Amino acid sequence: MTLPGAPRINPSILSADFVNMQRDLARIATADFAHVDVMDNHFVPNLTFGPQMVERVQATSPIPLDVHLMITEPDRWAPGYAEIGAASVTFHLEAASDPVALARRLRDIGARAGIAIKPGTAGESLYEILDEFDQVLVMTVEPGFGGQGFMAETMPKLRALVSEARRRDVNTWFQVDGGISDATISQAAEAGADTFVAGSAVYGADSVEAAIAGLRDRARAASLES
Ligand code: DX5
Ligand code: ZN
């Protein structure tokens, strides 16, 4: 699989119409990955899709899947999403009992391994294990719901993680998720993010395709400037 280059725009299907999923997946064909928010009503106070739904999304999506697991016990459940064929599987540091072993298992199955941290979780906890991951997700809202406001206070943590990865010569992607829009994407790109999840800003737009292109242009311009 040839993976797309940065900046990557990953629309979140949490903002899609769940009974018109095939149509709403087709609408994001010009994006890089379809971001799939799996929530279990334990790790976060919301419930979305499980493996069977994600398997159908995988079979239907014109672009690869970027699965974001907001669940307890990812050590038990995450490999199943890699086995379905998700290009990328991201689990939360706060929920994993052995994040390094789980990342290795995901990579062995053939997925990109991602680690996510909530706004209140320090970035330093990832410094020593950065090379075990293909993607670090710095949450820019409290996980659980689409349509929340971007938390700019997470940007110093992102910046520090990006410079730590450069210092260690680790080629991890840096993803932001939550409140990403035309008004906020430049801040995240300047802080070093290269992969941007956007739910309401994409599916809430009059033209989904124009929204994706607009976000990509802004991110590109901001990362060139920084
Ligand atoms: C929130 C999810 C996000 C959500 C983003 O917990 O992880 O992926 O869909 O939605 P927006 O872009 O609307 O903030
Ligand atoms: Zn997400």
Side-chain angles (χ1 to χ4, degrees):
M1 184 191 314
T2 310
L3 292 172
R8 286 165 286 266
I9 306 297
N10 299 3
S12 169
I13 61 166
L14 185 62
S15 293
D17 179 349
F18 287 7
V19 297
N20 284 294
M21 193 53 85
Q22 188 165 13
R23 179 200 69 190
D24 280 359
L25 285 165
R27 279 187 173 150
I28 57 167
T30 57
D32 297 284
F33 293 81
H35 183 83
V36 181
D37 288 305
V38 173
M39 306 188 189
D40 67 351
N41 225 358
H42 292 278
F43 184 71
V44 288
N46 196 4
L47 184 65
T48 57
F49 334 103
Q52 283 175 305
M53 175 69 179
V54 177
E55 192 164 14
R56 289 297 297 144
V57 170
Q58 166 71 28
T60 309
S61 178
I63 52 176
L65 301 195
D66 171 42
V67 173
H68 175 197
L69 299 176
M70 284 159 276
I71 60 171
T72 54
E73 290 193 87
D75 308 77
R76 179 173 171 197
W77 300 109
Y81 292 91
E83 278 155 11
I84 286 166
S88 162
V89 179
T90 297
F91 59 89
H92 270 265
L93 176 68
E94 300 87 356
S97 55
D98 190 343
V100 169
L102 180 53
R104 291 181 182 171
R105 188 140 174 240
L106 292 171
R107 282 175 158 179
D108 279 349
I109 299 169
R112 295 174 58 82
I115 187 91
I117 51 174
K118 298 205 271 188
T121 302
E124 285 83 355
S125 35
L126 292 177
Y127 287 179
E128 293 297 325
I129 54 172
L130 276 171
D131 64 333
E132 300 284 347
F133 297 96
D134 302 294
Q135 170 167 290
V136 171
L137 165 52
V138 173
M139 288 302 297
T140 44
V141 295
E142 285 300 337
F145 300 92
Q148 304 183 76
F150 176 78
M151 295 170 68
E153 60 270 37
T154 57
M155 291 298 97
K157 174 169 82 180
L158 171 61
R159 228 175 253 282
L161 272 160
V162 171
S163 73
E164 191 62 25
R166 287 192 184 135
R167 195 176 72 75
R168 291 171 187 257
D169 216 13
V170 174
N171 266 328
T172 306
W173 293 357
F174 283 92
Q175 183 176 70
V176 283
D177 179 10
I180 298 297
S181 68
D182 280 350
T184 58
I185 195 165
S186 307
Q187 289 177 63
E190 277 161 19
D194 50 39
T195 308
F196 304 86
V197 177
S200 41
V202 168
Y203 281 109
D206 291 336
S207 162
V208 163
E209 201 175 325
I212 293 165
L215 287 167
R216 195 181 274 125
D217 287 348
R218 277 176 206 266
R220 188 174 289 128
S223 51
L224 290 177
E225 275 164 27
S226 65

